[in-house]
Amino acid sequence: MNELTINLQSKSNIPLYEQIYSYIKNDIQSGRIQSGEKLPSTRSLSRYLEVSRSTVELAYEQLLSEGYVESEPYRGFFVAQIEELYQLKQSPKRIPGGSVREEKRYSYDFTPNGVDLNSFPYNAWRKLSRDCLMDDRAEMFRLGEPQGEYGLREAICDYLHQARGVNCQPEQIIVGAGNDYLLMLLTTVIGHEHKVALENPTYKQAYRLFKNLSYEVCTVDMDSRGMDITKLTESNADIAFVMPSHQYPLGIVMPIKRRLALLKWANEQEGRYIIEDDYDSEFRYKGKPIPALQGYDSCDKVIYMGTFSKSIAPAIRMSYMVLPKSLLVLYQEKSSFLNSTVSKVDQLILQKFIEEGYYERHLNKTRALYKSRHDTLLGCLKSLQDRCVISGENAGVHLLLHFHNHMAEDELTARAAQKGVRVYGLTEYYIEPQVGKQATILLGYANMNEEKIQEAVRILDEAWK
Amino acid sequence: MNELTINLQSKSNIPLYEQIYSYIKNDIQSGRIQSGEKLPSTRSLSRYLEVSRSTVELAYEQLLSEGYVESEPYRGFFVAQIEELYQLKQSPKRIPGGSVREEKRYSYDFTPNGVDLNSFPYNAWRKLSRDCLMDDRAEMFRLGEPQGEYGLREAICDYLHQARGVNCQPEQIIVGAGNDYLLMLLTTVIGHEHKVALENPTYKQAYRLFKNLSYEVCTVDMDSRGMDITKLTESNADIAFVMPSHQYPLGIVMPIKRRLALLKWANEQEGRYIIEDDYDSEFRYKGKPIPALQGYDSCDKVIYMGTFSKSIAPAIRMSYMVLPKSLLVLYQEKSSFLNSTVSKVDQLILQKFIEEGYYERHLNKTRALYKSRHDTLLGCLKSLQDRCVISGENAGVHLLLHFHNHMAEDELTARAAQKGVRVYGLTEYYIEPQVGKQATILLGYANMNEEKIQEAVRILDEAWK
């Protein structure tokens, strides 16, 4: 083959070399030029097409580097042998607009996972964000420390010590993009030879994650003080995932005696650990916060996890994990090559947010806000006293109603839904289905103002008559 | 016990109820008050201490909620039975200042992982960041889509289609905080029953990660066209991790024939997949970019991964993964409950950065910058022609020198280090040690300006004489 009749568009936006390249590539892909065939020399093709020789050379080089043609010294360019034809299909037209989430519309939603975002200090966050991007520019975009920036870890360490009684050094803290990620990271440290026990009911996300990561998982029943230690021992699990300061969803505070029994369990055998998920202990409306279990641990057995999702905002993807010293050594050996999952700018914003006192003010403000919603809700719920008993009050952002009017959970949620109020049944938090349990409804109040709470409880009172 | 002599400090910052609570707690912890002992009634203690009864009640409630005391109806408060005494120790004083990284000082560093951060468009990024925090405030801090915001996925999809020939829908894209995280996420989708084959030499991070996640891992040797498919088949692996557009560290572009053979391999057996790590294909200095392998895949076998760490900045923790449709179904079933690891604000900034053309301009600017450094380095290296052959040029941000002067790699790096120039031996990229391989040095040029390149090569020329 000495000539290729290519209809070049000299006025096109596409460079001439690319037109030549595309034409030949298409011909090879479609089989119009057979493998083994010799391409015209760059000199003859450039003369034939009336373009410069370097234009043709560029086209040939591109074909060469993608492997469509091969060059043989002193002989020229030959079409490569391509076993099968794969076509690059045009991607089909997309449905315009964003993804559609179907969701039933409710006028009132007592979600237990709400966060009040109106009280978020946007101006402070924006100011800090601007400051961080002003100074130390290149440094902000260089790869950071795998465990998170040291300054942020110091700020978290001080906060944990003062507010949660957590006993650690910044060296033990790992900052990561959410609890899910940190649990994944933890599995690379502790390996897969473990059996994990979770409370029943529990935070289902953690249960599913361990399952997905191919762990042996089980649940252990709770009594009024938290996870039953005898049953934990019987389960043969060696990792206990617990929420001692405010169990989700039951709202139980694990008393000191049970905490010590749990620590004793962990200490009885090598390789046993406790994962303490301290997800919302910032919110307590009576007395001082309950100190973290980690603070009582003198045997290096507690892996402490905390998050800013509840206390600042869910879209701030920042959580942290405090490793006991023995696991820290393992982490450094096995997993410290993994890069941080949080951008340096975000870490610095958060560090300043804590250091300059914004976090404390924000916590106090939201605590006061949630307390007044909590109090309003408790006040309104007096009208339901004849049908249910309340538990889980004084902490967190939800409480529970235990019904004794023989209505089933399904019926309670359905009747509320009919009138536009979304409430949540406890059943969905159980891993194994519970037979004959009392109907229990969760009411979250973080995301409802007092007027809405009053209106919604009035509707529930009607619906549940 | 009817009286507790507590020395209350009425002028202290610590509230009175907390002083009472701490005193009793300490006495219980130290054993001064025995378990089973009855506390004075709130009425008698308040009279004795001359404080209001509600102050004592608050202290008792705190002790009750932490489990130090128990309440018996009509009888009063009794000290709980606590099996062992654990003391909350004061955290030892920390060493002030940040963590110290020891690193030998070099005047010149040819790191192959460099990124030029001076050309980063700080002002644009800051402006976009400000804009994002201005509008839609509460929405920005609400929990986002697990796969990443749809708008960002659309922007990435369009970019991938145009620039990389990747054939996908935004629904197939998952945005995540770095490649390491996305690989972890992928393992929750595909499960652990796989054997992963990586190129040898390869990107060691991926090898270590699969190892850590308890996968069976092996390496497959490469020839001048990439991974050897016969050896891949013999390895019994069912997942091939490859970098077809610009192999790291060898810089090989996998020709179309090998690509089709690899796709054929994947299609021969159910459960086989190819992970295409397309980490730096933005940088090509001659002709058009090499299209991604994913674009040739008509059998739903390629998992495509890309990152903004190389093309924007390492500290921007944003990568993405394009799942074939069959795996997307699995992801939705098994892993879509996992929350996104990237903050919504950062996602929106990046979306606008792409949509408003900043990304394209930034890419063109850095490509031109790296090209001129690449050209300068190639020019300077002519002085070493008598000792080595160059490969891996025209793409990426590093090239390779293969020595035929019988100097060992160790000697080459050591001699350079002695004169303050840091260069990198190929050996450290091999998983299994290679015997009798030619000494090969990597020179990265992204982070060195032209003057420094000239000076450094002059020093290397001397050092390697």
Side-chain angles (χ1 to χ4, degrees), chain A residues 154-177:
Chain A
E154 275 184 314
I156 292 173
C157 187
D158 287 340
Y159 166 75
L160 285 180
H161 186 65
Q162 286 166 37
R164 309 290 309 121
V166 168
N167 200 353
C168 71
Q169 302 265 14
E171 283 74 10
Q172 289 169 265
I173 297 179
I174 301 174
V175 176

Side-chain angles (χ1 to χ4, degrees), chain A residues 107-108 110 384 387 415-421 452-465:
Chain A
S107 311
Y108 307 92
F110 278 108
L384 280 91
R387 279 153 284 173
R415 284 199 190 191
Q418 246 173 7
K419 294 187 182 272
V421 184
K452 283 209 146 194
I453 289 173
Q454 287 163 350
E455 289 164 10
V457 175
R458 222 171 291 137
I459 295 172
L460 289 178
D461 187 13
E462 277 304 310
W464 291 340
K465 263 201 175 126

Side-chain angles (χ1 to χ4, degrees), chain A residues 37-71:
Chain A
E37 220 169 305
K38 184 174 184 292
L39 292 190
S41 71
T42 53
R43 182 197 303 258
S44 74
L45 187 60
S46 65
R47 227 180 300 160
Y48 182 73
L49 294 176
E50 293 173 335
V51 297
S52 81
R53 196 165 159 190
S54 65
T55 301
V56 177
E57 279 170 354
L58 211 52
Y60 279 21
E61 268 167 21
Q62 186 69 27
L63 289 165
L64 193 64
S65 59
E66 294 185 19
Y68 287 99
V69 303
E70 282 164 354
S71 140

Side-chain angles (χ1 to χ4, degrees), chain B residues 58-76:
Chain B
L58 210 52
Y60 279 21
E61 268 168 22
Q62 186 69 27
L63 289 166
L64 192 64
S65 59
E66 294 184 19
Y68 288 99
V69 304
E70 281 164 356
S71 142
E72 292 186 22
Y74 311 113
R75 293 195 53 221

Side-chain angles (χ1 to χ4, degrees), chain B residues 382-408:
Chain B
K382 287 206 175 111
S383 62
L384 280 90
Q385 261 176 341
D386 55 330
R387 280 153 283 171
C388 59
V389 172
I390 297 167
S391 78
E393 63 271 43
N394 292 326
V397 294
H398 77 273
L399 42 77
L400 298 97
L401 305 181
H402 308 275
F403 282 79
H404 45 70
N405 65 350
H406 305 293
M407 252 190 220

Side-chain angles (χ1 to χ4, degrees), chain A residues 17-18 21 29 61-62 65-68 70 81-84 86-92 94 97-99 101 117 120 122-123 125-126 129-130 133-134 137-138 140-145 150 154 157-158 161 165 167 169-170 177 180-181 184 188 192 205 208-209 212-214 225 253 255-257 260-261 263-264 284 286-291 295-296 298 313-317 333-335 337-344 346 447, chain B residues 17-18 21 29 61-62 65-68 70 81-84 86-92 94 97-99 101 117 120 122-123 125-126 129-130 133-134 137-138 140-146 150 154 157-158 161 165 167 169-170 177 180-181 184 188 192 205 208-209 212-214 225 253 255-257 260-261 263-264 284 286-291 295-296 298 313-317 333-335 337-344 346:
Chain A
Y17 93 88
E18 205 176 317
Y21 150 81
Q29 284 183 328
E61 268 167 21
Q62 186 69 27
S65 59
E66 294 185 19
Y68 287 99
E70 282 164 354
Q81 206 178 338
I82 294 163
E83 292 155 298
E84 280 166 322
Y86 280 78
Q87 302 286 335
L88 183 66
K89 290 180 210 119
Q90 268 295 343
S91 66
R94 280 205 301 280
S99 65
R101 278 197 191 176
L117 286 173
F120 183 79
Y122 296 97
N123 292 332
W125 197 266
R126 195 161 53 231
S129 141
R130 199 173 50 223
L133 287 169
M134 284 304 258
R137 297 153 42 118
M140 289 312 298
F141 291 92
R142 220 177 287 285
L143 196 59
E145 309 248 344
Y150 197 83
E154 275 184 314
C157 187
D158 287 340
H161 186 65
N167 200 353
Q169 302 265 14
D180 298 337
Y181 167 73
M184 286 191 203
T188 72
H192 278 77
Q205 192 96 350
R208 292 184 65 180
L209 183 60
N212 262 20
L213 293 168
S214 312
R225 292 162 181 203
V253 177
I256 183 74
K257 188 175 162 183
L260 297 181
L263 287 169
K264 196 175 162 219
R284 198 164 162 78
K286 210 170 172 182
K288 280 158 42 79
I290 307 296
Y296 300 97
S298 56
I316 302 288
R317 303 306 298 152
E333 256 175 54
K334 293 174 66 182
S335 308
F337 71 94
L338 295 166
N339 288 318
S340 170
T341 45
V342 186
S343 92
K344 226 161 154 179
D346 289 351
N447 217 358
Chain B
Y17 91 89
E18 204 177 318
Y21 150 82
Q29 284 183 329
E61 268 168 22
Q62 186 69 27
S65 59
E66 294 184 19
Y68 288 99
E70 281 164 356
Q81 203 178 340
I82 294 165
E83 292 155 300
E84 282 167 321
Y86 281 80
Q87 302 286 336
L88 184 66
K89 290 178 209 121
Q90 265 297 343
S91 67
R94 281 205 299 281
S99 65
R101 280 197 190 177
L117 286 173
F120 184 78
Y122 296 97
N123 291 332
W125 196 267
R126 195 160 54 231
S129 142
R130 200 173 50 222
L133 288 168
M134 284 303 257
R137 296 151 45 117
M140 289 312 298
F141 291 91
R142 219 176 287 285
L143 196 60
E145 309 248 343
Y150 197 84
E154 276 184 314
C157 187
D158 286 342
H161 186 66
N167 200 354
Q169 303 266 13
D180 298 337
Y181 167 72
M184 284 191 205
T188 71
H192 279 76
Q205 192 96 349
R208 291 185 67 181
L209 183 61
N212 263 20
L213 294 168
S214 312
R225 290 164 183 203
V253 176
I256 183 76
K257 189 174 162 183
L260 297 181
L263 288 169
K264 196 174 162 220
R284 195 162 166 79
K286 211 169 170 182
K288 279 156 45 76
I290 308 296
Y296 300 98
S298 56
I316 302 287
R317 303 305 298 151
E333 256 174 53
K334 292 174 66 182
S335 309
F337 71 95
L338 295 165
N339 288 318
S340 171
T341 45
V342 186
S343 91
K344 225 162 155 179
D346 289 351

Side-chain angles (χ1 to χ4, degrees), chain A residues 277-309:
Chain A
D277 185 4
D278 201 27
Y279 68 104
D280 80 347
S281 44
E282 287 83 6
F283 301 118
R284 198 164 162 78
Y285 313 122
K286 210 170 172 182
K288 280 158 42 79
I290 307 296
L293 174 62
Q294 199 269 6
Y296 300 97
D297 174 26
S298 56
C299 304
D300 223 28
K301 286 296 188 180
V302 175
I303 299 150
Y304 177 90
M305 307 193 77
T307 178
F308 294 100
S309 296

Side-chain angles (χ1 to χ4, degrees), chain A residues 10 32 43-44 108 113 143 204 208 255 282 289 293 304 311-312 364 394 435 438:
Chain A
S10 57
R32 277 190 295 275
R43 182 197 303 258
S44 74
Y108 307 92
N113 303 312
L143 196 59
K204 266 198 173 163
R208 292 184 65 180
E282 287 83 6
L293 174 62
Y304 177 90
S311 59
I312 300 186
N364 288 331
N394 293 327
V435 186
Q438 196 177 18

